[in-house]
Amino acid sequence: MSEAGFSPEQIDTTRPHPARMYDHYLGGKDNYEADRDAADRVLAALPDVGITARSNRDFMHRAVRTVVDSGIRQIIDIGTGIPTSPNTHEVARQVDPEVRVAYVDNDPIVAAYAGAKLTNSGNAGFVLADIRDPEGILDHPVTQELIDFDEPIALMLLAVLHFITDAEDAAGIVRTLTERLPAGSHLVLSHATRDFNDNEGFGKVEKVYNEESTSSAQWRTGDEISGFFKGFELLEPGLVQPPLWRPDGPVPTGESLKRHMGYGGVGVK
């Protein structure tokens, strides 16, 4: 269950894409020269972007285990990015092998990897769609085939909303995505911030994304990010820097903690 058959104009390797830049931050190889060039300039301006990306990935692992431990058996993962093992379904199926996952991304190159790395084990599908079309995601045949909207769902929005500006109505998009989720559903969300570090590099990073990549970037404060959880009750410890969310190992402190430039949280509807 994946999209296939892309025309050359759909696959643009000359313009940086956030999913492939993120892959580079994680040390992956599934990216192109334009992605690496842009990502390296981001890392030169804000070296802690790499640390933040890795801690966000670790947060994902803990959050997925938590929601599946709570009884969730179906997940919509929007902004999947280049598959990096362990992926959402691999983490979830360590708890229950029957968990179903609908992966969503707007990059055709991510879709090209999906069949080999995400959907080949069954009970998983890929939707080539943009978060800016939330109803299109929810109504897509792959989503409808995999996800039962009468049963609790985990909606994952990891490191994706900072690529949706207020002008694009990020709050309205989240509201549309969450209003159809039944009671007991979970929202797993992470977002970049400059709350902990006022480095001048933030402006340089914004310029790279806003002027070169396929998506603009917008930093938000903790209070602004909390607004995305309207209608949800945050699980302990609330909205915190990713390493502080139910850690399963040593926790950074002081200046080391400031290097994690994001928030993560999980809410229950």
Side-chain angles (χ1 to χ4, degrees):
M1 292 180 289
S2 63
E3 303 283 353
F6 303 110
S7 62
E9 57 268 20
Q10 284 181 287
I11 302 179
D12 183 2
T13 62
T14 66
R15 191 176 182 192
H17 189 286
R20 301 192 300 266
M21 292 172 67
Y22 187 77
D23 178 69
H24 186 63
Y25 300 148
L26 293 173
K29 305 297 183 183
D30 297 321
N31 45 69
Y32 296 88
E33 183 177 359
D35 307 308
R36 293 188 290 273
D37 177 67
D40 284 342
R41 281 182 284 120
V42 166
L43 291 170
L46 276 180
D48 295 340
V49 165
I51 291 174
T52 302
R54 290 189 289 274
S55 68
N56 178 72
R57 191 76 188 171
D58 293 339
F59 162 71
M60 182 275 279
H61 296 160
R62 299 192 303 275
V64 168
R65 287 196 295 268
T66 295
V67 300
V68 179
D69 278 336
S70 76
I72 294 291
R73 293 297 179 266
Q74 47 184 1
I75 299 172
I76 303 175
D77 183 351
I78 300 179
T80 300
I82 299 293
T84 303
S85 188
N87 300 300
T88 298
H89 71 281
E90 294 171 324
V91 176
R93 290 174 188 173
Q94 291 172 2
V95 180
D96 189 319
E98 300 303 316
V99 174
R100 304 185 304 281
V101 182
Y103 289 103
V104 183
D105 203 282
N106 69 350
D107 184 1
I109 295 177
V110 175
Y113 285 102
K117 296 186 177 182
L118 298 177
T119 64
N120 60 335
S121 59
N123 273 349
F126 184 83
V127 177
L128 180 63
D130 196 298
I131 191 174
R132 297 169 186 82
D133 179 19
E135 291 182 346
I137 291 172
L138 298 178
D139 293 332
H140 192 281
V142 170
T143 308
Q144 289 292 313
E145 180 178 348
L146 283 166
I147 305 299
D148 179 356
F149 284 85
D150 291 326
E151 297 292 334
I153 300 161
L155 173 66
M156 295 176 55
L157 299 174
L158 291 172
V160 64
L161 288 174
H162 45 247
F163 297 119
I164 309 299
T165 66
D166 288 343
E168 295 170 307
D169 194 17
I173 289 170
V174 175
R175 185 167 56 251
T176 299
L177 288 169
T178 58
E179 64 186 1
R180 287 169 58 178
L181 302 181
S185 293
H186 289 58
L187 174 61
V188 181
L189 188 151
S190 64
H191 195 297
T193 188
R194 59 189 303 170
D195 280 3
F196 311 108
N197 187 334
D198 201 25
N199 190 305
E200 64 180 11
F202 282 100
K204 297 178 181 178
V205 171
E206 286 181 357
K207 186 173 182 179
V208 171
Y209 279 105
N210 296 350
E211 296 183 4
E212 300 180 39
S213 86
T214 58
S215 295
S216 298
Q218 179 173 337
W219 312 101
R220 291 186 173 92
T221 66
D223 286 343
E224 289 171 325
I225 298 165
S226 293
F228 292 128
F229 285 95
K230 185 176 182 179
F232 289 77
E233 181 179 348
L234 280 166
L235 299 180
E236 291 293 338
L239 186 68
V240 295
Q241 288 166 274
L244 302 182
W245 199 89
R246 303 194 177 188
D248 53 10
V251 176
T253 59
E255 291 301 312
S256 294
L257 184 58
K258 290 182 180 179
R259 303 185 70 183
H260 298 264
M261 304 177 300
Y263 285 102
V266 178
V268 181
K269 188 173 183 179

